[in-house]
Amino acid sequence: MTEQEASESLFDTKFTSDASIDTSILPSTEENTTAIIGFRVLVSVKEAGIVIGKNGSVIADIRDQTGVKAGVSPVIQGCPDRILTVTGPLDSTCQALGLIAKALVSSPLDDSLFQYFPLKRLLPPGIEGSTSLRLLIPNAQMGTIIGRQGARIKALQENFNVRLVASKDFLHNSTERLVELQGLPEEIESSTKIIARCLIEDWHSAAGTTFYTPTPRTPRRSNYSSSSSNTSTSNQSNSTPGDVSRTVNFPSEYVGCLIGKAGSRIQEIRKVSGAQITIASEDDESGERTFTLSGSNRSVGKALSFLQQNLEREKQRRERIAAGDE
């Protein structure tokens, strides 16, 4: 698997084996730390209501118990999600996350309410009494959580009896990824103490992060997929006037350069063009990878132009290298 392909899947829950776990790869929680850390957690509007409580009673109690600053972003009309922010001394912040998980367990919601990304569950339901927190993590800091060959994730899951999985793509118009952490409230508290220490080790990588901001969703009723592997591009309209989707296929040997290291190039195109870009996980029968571009006609056109420019530039670079070898 190439580095670019790895960045599209990042990590899942398969880092388990019969091999012994080297606990030294995880930061120690025995040493006291005065570090301040902030966690951003994606919640639905209804989950936000549970965390806030009647007249703000639940979140006020969490603040009183832990001494952290905690709040939820305003409701945006037409947007189903909000951002819960918790900031304070490291251990106190993680204690607050445990209390938030406990509040969600006490008032469980029907998972069928969350049908679409980013609120749709990435993990199947856990054991009784468990819940999930959707942590927002800068893409540049994923490596410090994963560890070499997934060693840290494996140790976290097996030592703390939690499960973690990351979204395959950045959240809309951001360089943050969703990391779903599932476990009992006390396990969530313990594991986030490790995750927080990992993030602090690599704090400088978070510089330049484009943070996710909830925005109104545009309902989509169409499936945007290529109707034929022999067709390089196609236009399909969804239910919203002026919003289009286009699929374009690129040779698999150029996919890595189009995505860029850790998804840097494709994310830059998303940001500059304003288009949403999703990439098929596997090549088609002709050895090509399908990119799906959606958004306004102008943003899709800009994104396609950038992709084609990068492709031509890479072809020319390889041709120069080949000519030099000859």
Side-chain angles (χ1 to χ4, degrees):
M1 178 181 289
T2 66
E3 183 174 12
Q4 289 77 16
E5 287 172 333
S7 74
E8 288 302 307
S9 57
L10 280 175
F11 59 82
D12 53 26
T13 58
K14 298 177 182 178
F15 292 106
T16 56
S17 70
D18 295 331
S20 59
I21 301 171
D22 180 8
T23 57
S24 65
I25 61 176
L26 296 176
S28 172
T29 58
E30 295 180 359
E31 297 180 7
N32 292 328
T33 177
T34 58
I36 302 296
I37 192 167
F39 274 101
R40 286 161 46 83
V41 183
L42 187 73
V43 293
S44 69
V45 171
K46 290 189 176 182
E47 288 170 329
I50 293 171
V51 174
I52 293 170
K54 187 175 182 180
N55 297 322
S57 59
V58 174
I59 201 165
D61 187 48
I62 291 173
R63 293 192 194 108
D64 290 341
Q65 287 189 56
T66 62
V68 302
K69 294 181 179 179
V72 185
S73 63
V75 174
I76 304 231
Q77 189 67 30
C79 182
D81 51 75
R82 302 172 71 180
I83 304 294
L84 166 64
T85 305
V86 185
T87 306
L90 188 150
D91 288 345
S92 298
T93 299
C94 297
Q95 180 188 1
L97 291 177
L99 292 173
I100 288 166
K102 187 175 181 180
L104 293 173
V105 169
S106 66
S107 301
L109 296 174
D110 184 357
D111 282 350
S112 65
L113 295 173
F114 311 121
Q115 292 293 324
Y116 304 102
F117 181 78
L119 292 177
K120 185 176 181 178
R121 301 295 187 187
L122 301 176
L123 287 165
I127 62 173
E128 184 177 356
S130 67
T131 191
S132 295
L133 294 185
R134 307 178 194 88
L135 307 179
L136 300 180
I137 305 293
N139 181 62
Q141 287 188 298
M142 283 296 190
T144 191
I145 299 176
I146 298 170
R148 187 176 180 84
Q149 297 181 337
R152 277 186 163 178
I153 285 296
K154 176 181 176 182
L156 269 168
Q157 293 187 137
E158 298 195 14
N159 286 8
F160 296 94
N161 199 31
V162 293
R163 303 176 71 187
L164 294 105
V165 66
S167 61
K168 293 182 179 181
D169 209 348
F170 299 133
L171 280 90
H172 183 59
N173 286 339
S174 80
T175 54
E176 288 186 301
R177 289 186 187 262
L178 194 78
V179 176
E180 186 173 317
L181 171 63
Q182 183 187 92
L184 299 174
E186 56 269 26
E187 294 165 345
I188 286 177
E189 177 180 346
S190 298
S191 60
T192 52
K193 288 181 179 179
I194 297 295
I195 293 172
R197 283 168 168 79
C198 290
L199 295 174
I200 286 175
E201 283 182 355
D202 192 36
W203 62 270
H204 56 279
S205 293
T209 297
T210 303
F211 296 101
Y212 171 70
T213 301
T215 53
R217 302 291 193 274
T218 301
R220 298 184 183 276
R221 299 177 183 174
S222 301
N223 245 344
Y224 301 130
S225 59
S226 178
S227 60
S228 172
S229 61
N230 296 323
T231 303
S232 60
T233 61
S234 63
N235 281 319
Q236 296 178 353
S237 296
N238 66 13
S239 58
T240 304
D243 211 18
V244 301
S245 179
R246 171 175 290 185
T247 60
V248 57
N249 294 347
F250 292 104
S252 59
E253 65 265 29
Y254 291 103
V255 170
C257 76
L258 294 176
I259 295 175
K261 186 176 182 180
S264 58
R265 286 187 178 176
I266 202 71
Q267 180 57 23
E268 183 65 20
I269 292 175
R270 290 186 180 107
K271 184 176 179 181
V272 173
S273 69
Q276 297 185 43
I277 305 174
T278 57
I279 304 167
S281 59
E282 298 180 354
D283 298 341
D284 60 21
E285 295 178 357
S286 60
E288 294 185 324
R289 191 76 63 88
T290 300
F291 286 53
T292 303
L293 290 59
S294 57
S296 69
N297 195 44
R298 181 179 179 182
S299 64
V300 168
K302 287 176 66 175
L304 181 57
S305 176
F306 287 135
L307 286 168
Q308 290 173 335
Q309 288 176 27
N310 287 346
L311 176 64
E312 289 304 314
R313 192 176 296 117
E314 179 64 14
K315 285 182 177 179
Q316 292 172 11
R317 186 186 73 84
R318 296 185 186 187
E319 287 174 359
R320 288 195 299 268
I321 292 175
D325 290 341
E326 293 176 358

